[in-house]
Every structure is written in structure tokens, then in C-alpha cells.
Amino acid sequence: MISAVLVFNNNGQPRLVKFYSQIDISLQQRLLKQIFSLVSNRPASACNFLPLPPLLAGSNSWNTSDADEPITLLYRHYATLYFIVISDSLESPLGLLDLIQVFVQALDQLFENVCELDLIFNFETLHATLEEMVVGGCVVETDLNKIVACVRESEKVLKKGHGMRPGGSGSSGVGGIGRGGFMGGDLGIAFITWIEGWVCSSNGGEEEEEEEEEEEEEEEEEEEEEEEEERRRRRMEARNNERDITN
């Protein structure tokens, strides 16, 4: 069973943190720091298998039985990202390395040459891809084409559902909607409704200002025309008076 899947950048900032086994929250941050310290200090020529960090070695921090205790920590380094998997003795280490490779290839196809910024601004797709592959710590799918197709189909369903009922909790797919995301349920509907109302009111205010400016310009033009007409009338009167005097 897989205990955790982690993704760090070269600076130790987590881009994906997914635990499948229970662990005290107070230990998670310390554990993440220890794991990154291990992988970041590994030379490029070293193997991909790591010793357990001090918090896991010889302790039952995961609140599991001895048979399910995580004993394997392996990783792969791609450009600016570390992909890390922690598992128990029942999982094949070589199989987990292949799992990481499939995970990265799936992201690469979904984002077309994936980079760290893709994971930051599209974290929902990142989580959706992992969920297609691992459920409850068990590997359920490793076929690259199926994984990519399922995630893309989920995105299509999400876009259609979002247009009908934004933030709906009944749809499954990408984007924090229907997967326990912060935009799910009635809270998401209320938030999006408020945003839409605010945008509409902002646009309405801008339109009113534009209309007022147009009206002011029209009034100024009318006043200028009236003044010009008045000047013409006075010139005509002055000419007529000159003719009368001459005659």
C-alpha cells in the first residue's frame, strides 16, 4: 500500500502532498522537511531508493500495524521537481518507479510539456490525475492513455456542469468541485453568485459613468453651438446697423 505521494520543487516548496495513511498533523511538516532534506542532498549518481527519515525509522508514527508500516521511500527528479512515494513492503519498488514515470508522462500530455507553473495554476488537474491512478493508497490504473482520457473527459464534464450549476457538489471531475474542493457545495454557489453580482455591478457602474460622460460631452457641444449661433446673430445685427448708418 502507498502511504504518501509528494512533489517538491528544488527549493523544498511542496507542490503536491497526498497522505493515504493516518499521521498526526503535528508531524507532517517536520516529516516533509526531513524527506526533502534527504532527496535534495542525494548526488545525481545515487540510486532512487532512500532510507527512512528519522521520524519514520523505528517508530509507528503512521498509527498502523507493523505489516503496513512504511519501509520504502523512493523518488525521481525531473528538472525542478522531485516526485516522491512512500510505501510499505507489499508494493514493488520498481513498480512504484514506473508509477512515477506514468504520472509524469500523463501530466506532460495533459499540459503539453509540463512545467512547475502548470502544477501551481492547475493543481486540480494534478490531483485529478493522481486520483485516476491511486485510490486509498492502492494503484488502480497504470495505462497512460486511459488516465489521460479520463482526466480530459472529467474536464469536459466539469465545464458543462459548471455552466449549468457552478460549484455543484454532485459532479465528479477536476477543479475542486465534487472532489472535496473549496468551491464545492452551497458555499461555492454562494461565492460564485456573489462574484458574478459584483462583476455585474462593477460593469454596470462603468457603463453609467460612460453614459454620464457622453451626456456631458453632448451638452458641451450644444452649448458651443448655441454660443456660435449667438455670435453669428450679433455679427449680422452689427452689419445691418452699419448699413443703416451709411444709408
Side-chain angles (χ1 to χ4, degrees):
M1 177 178 175
I2 295 175
S3 301
V5 176
L6 313 171
V7 178
F8 294 96
N9 67 6
N10 288 342
N11 296 321
Q13 297 171 319
R15 297 309 181 202
L16 172 66
V17 177
K18 183 69 174 180
F19 287 96
Y20 296 100
S21 298
Q22 184 179 357
I23 182 173
D24 295 335
I25 297 178
S26 60
L27 297 177
Q28 286 189 13
Q29 294 300 321
R30 293 168 56 194
L31 180 62
L32 294 178
K33 290 180 180 179
Q34 289 186 4
I35 292 175
F36 176 73
S37 178
L38 286 173
V39 298
S40 61
N41 292 325
R42 298 278 287 185
S45 59
C47 70
N48 299 97
F49 301 93
L50 292 169
L52 291 178
L55 279 177
L56 297 182
S59 65
N60 194 7
S61 303
W62 299 78
N63 299 321
T64 59
S65 63
D66 293 338
D68 297 330
E69 187 73 9
I71 62 170
T72 303
L73 193 156
L74 51 88
Y75 76 100
R76 276 194 165 185
H77 189 202
Y78 297 88
T80 63
L81 295 171
Y82 290 94
F83 289 77
I84 303 164
V85 174
I86 305 174
S87 70
D88 57 23
S89 60
L90 300 179
E91 296 290 343
S92 168
L94 295 179
L96 294 177
L97 287 177
D98 289 339
L99 183 72
I100 294 176
Q101 179 67 21
V102 173
F103 186 31
V104 174
Q105 288 179 334
L107 294 174
D108 193 60
Q109 289 192 20
L110 289 167
F111 294 113
E112 298 181 359
N113 297 325
V114 64
C115 66
E116 184 179 352
L117 288 178
D118 292 322
L119 306 189
I120 296 174
F121 293 107
N122 300 278
F123 63 91
E124 62 277 8
T125 303
L126 174 65
H127 283 271
T129 305
L130 181 61
E131 289 177 5
E132 293 292 342
M133 301 175 64
V134 182
V135 176
C138 298
V139 179
V140 296
E141 185 60 75
T142 57
D143 188 289
L144 177 61
N145 295 329
K146 289 183 179 179
I147 294 168
V148 173
C150 289
V151 174
R152 286 176 174 168
E153 184 64 26
S154 298
E155 290 178 341
K156 292 179 182 178
V157 172
L158 175 65
K159 290 179 181 178
K160 293 180 181 179
H162 181 73
M164 297 171 59
R165 183 171 183 247
S169 58
S171 63
S172 62
V174 186
I177 300 178
R179 291 185 182 267
F182 72 98
M183 292 300 292
D186 296 334
L187 179 61
I189 297 174
F191 178 78
I192 293 176
T193 303
W194 178 81
I195 287 293
E196 290 176 347
W198 179 81
V199 171
C200 291
S201 63
S202 299
N203 293 337
E206 293 177 356
E207 291 176 357
E208 291 178 358
E209 291 179 357
E210 291 178 356
E211 291 177 357
E212 291 177 356
E213 291 177 357
E214 290 178 356
E215 291 177 357
E216 291 178 355
E217 290 177 357
E218 290 177 357
E219 290 177 357
E220 291 177 356
E221 290 177 358
E222 291 177 357
E223 291 177 357
E224 291 177 357
E225 290 178 357
E226 292 176 357
E227 292 177 356
E228 181 66 22
E229 185 66 25
E230 180 66 19
R231 285 194 292 269
R232 290 176 182 174
R233 187 181 63 80
R234 289 178 181 178
R235 285 197 296 269
M236 291 295 295
E237 290 180 353
R239 290 176 182 176
N240 292 333
N241 291 334
E242 290 177 358
R243 289 175 183 175
D244 293 338
I245 293 172
T246 303
N247 293 333

